[in-house]
């Protein structure tokens, strides 16, 4: 530099962009002047880069600084996983020289190869035989999982990619990703909807997006579902790209049946639509249903199929579980005053009919939504309530719906109609049984097997016992006759109600009074039994159900509405 300078009075040289700064240059100067110092994992990267910058090659002197550092790296560092990690961590701030000399690639390859070798040795040492299945199981914990968290995200990504190529177990890689995320993203404070402060920096966003990229190439079962939901929340928090969020949502949708209600309650970052991120849950559910459609199109078994990722095809029980999960989610978001009707209905319509055996949960969610949104028009209420399958409502839910003033009159009529069909079917089956439809009269069957469970051959024939059985038979026939009469009355009242509605009088006070009368009639006929023991059992059942669903108690329709709204639809 002095020879190339044109200044005859040159007294100062300026070294620009020296890798490692003044400390690295001082070590190189000590080496030139013969001062003793130790080359170790902390300074070897700085020495190698500054030697490259100062061109300290063998052309000027044998065993110069470059060859000294290369010897230390090849003989000590690359043979040890721990030392390779330390040198790679020390490479921060040495870019681009550290890349030009190939030091980063050397350390990355050494970490991956040593991890693969160490995993094989430790795995063989921890092999255990499962006596029950006769299979070998491996129990070992990779110590380097935690140490990798000290790397910068760009170095960590290269290490994980190389590890996957060298054959490191996916479980170990998944565990490492989880630990790195917990360590690197620990300092991010959650931002609420009402906060107006600055967003988190780009560094956290880069970390989240890089980890999602690494997860995209891992097996489905290598990380837990709770971690995936945590990464999704973090991606929303740091405002990651939409593609990264969709990738996490896709992986969640593949195992949605294992999710809980708390996992789905993702807070929204904006108050424009609702308090909860309904769009994200909608996309997750779409991914789950697409998986079912793909399995159906491939003629796969709904129970026994297992993919390459170790994930089974969703069975019908999984779909039913998703139905219950979504009903609970709908009930949780229904009280939100900002939730639009279109989004609420879109979630309901997304699930197929076979996902719900009973529509009680869906009816409860819709009832809560109607209570929280009193400004809905009549047409909107009709559209929403049409999503309820009245045939799938239980007896308690039907009784509540028949007295619910928030429901449109058409929905109440459908509920009463199907409840009447159910009662008619019950009466017909009961009459068939009591009339000896299985091949014998009631008295003959009761003689063959008395109520005590002892065969008739073990019971002494007594005239009083036979007379008692005949008396009970007459009482049962009398109750059946009463039920028939009451059923006829209900059919007549239903006909009057239909005629009144066609004439335009069904929506007035007359229609409401008639509906209340039919509801009370249904409640009374449900109390009828087929014997003393049957009546007592129904009284107990009615008493138990009355604690869960509100009843009219003989009061007015408006009083029934208030009682039911407190007990059943409270948000």
């Amino acid at each position: 530099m002095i020879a190339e300078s044109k200044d005859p009075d040159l007294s100062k040289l300026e070294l620009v962009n020296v890798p490692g700064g003044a400390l690295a240059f001082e070590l190189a100067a000590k080496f030139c002047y013969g001062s003793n110092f130790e080359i170790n994992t902390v300074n070897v990267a700085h020495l190698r880069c500054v030697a490259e910058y100062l061109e300290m090659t063998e052309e000027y002197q044998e065993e110069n600084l470059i060859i000294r550092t290369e010897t230390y790296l090849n003989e000590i560092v690359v043979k040890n996983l721990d030392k390779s990690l330390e040198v790679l961590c020390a490479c921060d701030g040495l870019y681009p020289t550290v890349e030009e000399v190939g030091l980063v690639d050397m350390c990355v390859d050494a970490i991956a190869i040593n991890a693969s070798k160490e995993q094989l040795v430790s795995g063989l040492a921890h092999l255990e035989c499962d006596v029950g299945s006769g299979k070998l199981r491996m129990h070992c914990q990779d110590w380097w999982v935690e140490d990798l968290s000290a790397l910068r995200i760009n170095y960590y990504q290269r290490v994980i990619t190389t590890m996957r190529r060298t054959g490191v177990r996916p479980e170990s890689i998944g565990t490492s990703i989880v630990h790195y995320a917990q360590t690197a993203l620990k300092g991010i404070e959650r931002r609420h909807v009402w906060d107006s402060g600055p967003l988190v920096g780009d560094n956290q966003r880069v970390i989240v997006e890089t980890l999602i990229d690494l997860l995209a190439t891992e097996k489905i079962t290598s990380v837990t579902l709770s971690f995936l939901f945590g990464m999704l929340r973090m991606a929303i928090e740091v405002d990651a790209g939409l593609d990264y969020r969709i990738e996490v949502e896709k992986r969640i949708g593949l195992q949605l049946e294992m999710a809980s209600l708390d996992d789905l309650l993702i807070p929204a970052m904006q108050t424009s639509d609702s308090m909860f991120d309904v769009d994200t849950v909608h996309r997750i559910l779409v991914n789950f249903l697409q998986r079912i459609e793909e399995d159906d199109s491939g003629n796969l078994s709904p129970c026994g199929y297992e993919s390459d990722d170790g994930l089974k095809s969703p069975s019908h029980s999984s779909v039913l579980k998703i139905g219950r999960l979504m009903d609970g989610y709908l009930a949780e978001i229904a009280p939100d005053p900002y939730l639009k009707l279109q989004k609420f209905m879109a979630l309901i319509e997304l699930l197929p009919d076979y996902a719900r055996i009973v529509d009680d949960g869906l009816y409860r969610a819709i009832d809560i939504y109607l209570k929280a949104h009193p400004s809905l028009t009549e047409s909107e209420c009709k559209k929403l309530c049409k999503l309820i399958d009245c045939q799938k409502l239980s007896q308690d839910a039907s009784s509540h719906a028949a007295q619910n003033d928030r429901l449109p009159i058409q929905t109440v009529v459908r509920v009463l109609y199907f409840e009447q069909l159910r009662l008619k079917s019950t009466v017909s089956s009961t009459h068939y049984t009591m009339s000896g439809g299985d091949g014998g009269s009631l008295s003959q069957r009761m003689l063959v097997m008395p109520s005590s469970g002892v065969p008739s051959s073990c019971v002494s024939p007594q005239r009083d016992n036979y007379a008692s059985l005949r008396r009970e038979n007459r009482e049962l026939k009398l109750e059946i006759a009463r039920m028939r009469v009451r059923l006829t009355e209900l059919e007549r009242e239903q006909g009057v109600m239909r005629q009144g509605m066609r004439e335009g009088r069904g929506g007035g006070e007359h229609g409401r009074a008639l509906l209340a009368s039919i509801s009370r009639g249904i409640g009374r006929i449900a109390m009828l039994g087929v014997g003393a023991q049957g009546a007592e059992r129904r009284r107990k059942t009615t008493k138990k159900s009355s604690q869960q669903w509100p009843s009219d108690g003989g009061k007015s329709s408006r009083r029934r509405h208030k009682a039911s709204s407190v007990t059943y639809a409270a948000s």
Side-chain angles (χ1 to χ4, degrees):
M1 293 177 66
I2 294 175
E4 294 176 355
S5 177
K6 299 180 180 181
D7 187 2
D9 299 328
L10 182 65
S11 60
K12 180 180 179 181
L13 293 176
E14 183 179 358
L15 304 179
V16 182
N17 297 327
V18 177
L23 295 178
F25 181 80
E26 182 182 359
L27 291 176
K30 286 182 178 181
F31 175 80
C32 293
Y33 285 94
S35 299
N36 293 327
F37 65 90
E38 180 184 9
I39 298 179
N40 52 38
T41 57
V42 177
N43 60 23
V44 66
H46 293 74
L47 286 173
R48 177 65 184 87
C49 292
V50 74
E52 185 73 19
Y53 178 84
L54 297 175
E55 301 178 3
M56 301 176 70
T57 63
E58 298 299 303
E59 298 177 2
Y60 297 97
Q61 181 183 353
E62 293 183 359
E63 296 186 1
N64 210 335
L65 187 56
I66 290 180
I67 195 65
R68 290 285 187 90
T69 54
E70 288 286 350
T71 302
Y72 180 82
L73 289 170
N74 292 325
E75 295 183 358
I76 297 178
V77 174
V78 298
K79 296 180 180 180
N80 187 284
L81 197 155
D82 196 5
K83 294 184 182 300
S84 301
L85 276 172
E86 293 178 5
V87 174
L88 187 57
C89 290
C91 290
D92 294 344
L94 300 177
Y95 184 84
T97 307
V98 70
E99 295 284 359
E100 295 173 356
V101 300
L103 184 56
V104 175
D105 290 334
M106 179 188 299
C107 293
V108 168
D109 293 338
I111 292 172
I113 294 174
N114 288 315
S116 180
K117 292 179 180 178
E118 189 169 303
Q119 178 179 268
L120 179 61
V121 174
S122 61
L124 293 175
H126 291 81
L127 278 178
E128 295 181 2
C129 181
D130 190 350
V131 181
S133 61
K135 296 181 180 180
L136 292 176
R137 297 181 303 176
M138 185 160 41
H139 303 276
C140 59
Q141 179 66 35
D142 299 309
W143 59 267
W144 47 263
V145 167
E146 298 181 2
D147 292 353
L148 289 182
S149 301
L151 295 174
R152 290 179 56 185
I153 186 61
N154 55 339
Y155 292 158
Y156 178 78
Q157 183 181 19
R158 293 165 68 172
V159 168
I160 293 299
T161 304
T162 309
M163 278 186 172
R164 189 183 299 114
R165 192 167 56 246
T166 56
V168 178
R169 288 194 307 268
E171 294 78 9
S172 300
I173 295 178
T175 304
S176 176
I177 294 176
V178 172
H179 191 275
Y180 191 94
Q182 293 173 347
T183 303
L185 303 175
K186 187 176 182 180
I188 297 181
E189 297 181 356
R190 295 200 173 276
R191 180 169 54 90
H192 298 284
V193 174
W194 52 84
D195 293 338
S196 58
L199 300 177
V200 293
D202 293 335
N203 185 36
Q204 286 80 8
R205 184 182 300 107
V206 171
I207 292 175
V208 171
E209 293 178 352
T210 303
L211 292 178
I212 293 176
D213 275 336
L214 292 175
L215 287 173
T217 55
E218 289 298 321
K219 285 190 175 182
I220 300 297
T221 56
S222 60
V223 293
T224 61
L225 187 62
S226 60
F227 173 73
L228 292 177
F229 272 106
M231 286 300 299
L232 179 59
R233 292 171 184 265
M234 196 62 64
I236 298 174
E237 191 76 21
V238 300
D239 195 21
L242 182 60
D243 294 339
Y244 298 97
R245 292 176 54 180
I246 291 177
E247 177 62 33
V248 181
E249 293 167 2
K250 179 180 178 181
R251 294 178 67 89
I252 292 176
L254 294 177
Q255 44 185 332
L256 183 60
E257 61 269 21
M258 295 184 291
S260 64
L261 180 58
D262 292 335
D263 293 332
L264 297 180
L265 296 176
I266 304 174
M269 291 293 104
Q270 299 177 355
T271 58
S272 57
D273 292 336
S274 61
M275 297 173 58
F276 298 98
D277 196 341
V278 181
D279 295 334
T280 297
V281 177
H282 188 276
R283 289 193 297 266
I284 292 175
L285 186 58
V286 168
N287 290 323
F288 175 80
L289 297 176
Q290 285 179 351
R291 179 183 168 206
I292 297 177
E293 293 178 359
E294 292 174 358
D295 293 341
D296 293 340
S297 61
N299 296 324
L300 301 177
S301 173
C303 299
Y305 173 70
E306 189 169 350
S307 64
D308 295 336
D309 294 324
L311 194 67
K312 290 185 177 181
S313 174
S315 60
H316 183 57
S317 61
S318 300
V319 179
L320 294 178
K321 186 176 181 180
I322 293 299
R324 294 190 296 268
L325 177 64
M326 293 309 301
D327 287 346
Y329 178 76
L330 291 170
E332 287 292 331
I333 66 175
D336 183 6
Y338 298 101
L339 180 59
K340 294 182 179 180
L341 178 63
Q342 291 77 9
K343 289 189 175 184
F344 188 72
M345 293 180 61
L347 277 177
I348 300 175
E349 295 172 342
L350 197 57
L351 278 177
D353 294 336
Y354 60 86
R356 295 182 178 94
I357 297 180
V358 180
D359 271 14
D360 287 12
L362 178 60
Y363 165 68
R364 175 174 176 268
I366 292 178
D367 188 29
I368 295 175
Y369 188 86
L370 292 176
K371 180 181 180 182
H373 299 78
S375 59
L376 292 177
T377 63
E378 184 177 357
S379 60
E380 291 176 338
C381 292
K382 290 180 181 179
K383 291 180 181 179
L384 181 59
C385 292
K386 280 183 179 179
L387 300 178
I388 303 175
D389 190 349
C390 299
Q391 299 184 69
K392 292 184 179 180
L393 293 179
S394 65
Q395 184 175 359
D396 293 336
S398 299
S399 300
H400 183 275
Q403 306 176 50
N404 193 346
D405 291 344
R406 287 186 290 270
L407 299 181
I409 186 64
Q410 292 83 354
T411 304
V412 177
V413 171
R414 290 203 311 270
V415 170
L416 292 175
Y417 174 72
F418 288 114
E419 184 66 17
Q420 184 183 11
L421 292 180
R422 183 186 305 171
L423 287 174
K424 179 184 263 187
S425 176
T426 303
V427 171
S428 300
S429 60
T430 304
H431 173 67
Y432 177 78
T433 302
M434 298 303 299
S435 61
D438 54 349
S441 63
L442 176 65
S443 58
Q444 291 174 347
R445 287 184 283 110
M446 298 183 81
L447 283 173
V448 172
M449 183 64 67
S451 59
S452 62
V454 182
S456 59
S457 60
C458 300
V459 179
S460 58
Q462 297 180 359
R463 188 178 302 275
D464 295 339
N465 189 18
Y466 179 74
S468 176
L469 291 176
R470 292 186 61 185
R471 184 168 55 255
E472 290 181 2
N473 193 14
R474 287 195 302 269
E475 293 176 357
L476 292 176
K477 289 183 178 180
L478 181 59
E479 291 186 4
I480 291 296
R482 293 174 180 173
M483 293 177 67
R484 289 178 177 174
V485 172
R486 184 53 187 160
L487 184 60
T488 303
E489 294 177 358
L490 288 176
E491 292 176 348
R492 186 182 304 109
E493 292 178 357
Q494 184 187 14
V496 174
M497 180 181 64
R498 288 179 177 176
Q499 182 178 359
M501 291 182 62
R502 285 195 297 266
E503 295 176 357
R505 299 192 302 270
E509 295 297 331
H510 176 72
R512 284 294 179 183
L514 186 55
L515 288 177
S517 174
I518 296 179
S519 300
R520 289 193 297 270
I522 292 177
R524 286 195 298 269
I525 194 170
M527 295 295 295
L528 295 178
V530 293
Q533 295 180 355
E536 180 65 24
R537 186 162 54 251
R538 283 174 171 80
R539 283 194 295 269
K540 292 180 179 179
T541 305
T542 305
K543 180 179 180 181
K544 180 179 179 181
S545 62
S546 64
Q547 299 175 358
Q548 179 180 3
W549 301 84
S551 59
D552 56 349
K555 298 180 181 180
S556 64
S557 175
R558 180 59 58 182
R559 293 286 298 276
R560 288 197 304 271
H561 163 59
K562 293 183 179 180
S564 63
S565 63
V566 173
T567 304
Y568 176 73
S571 58

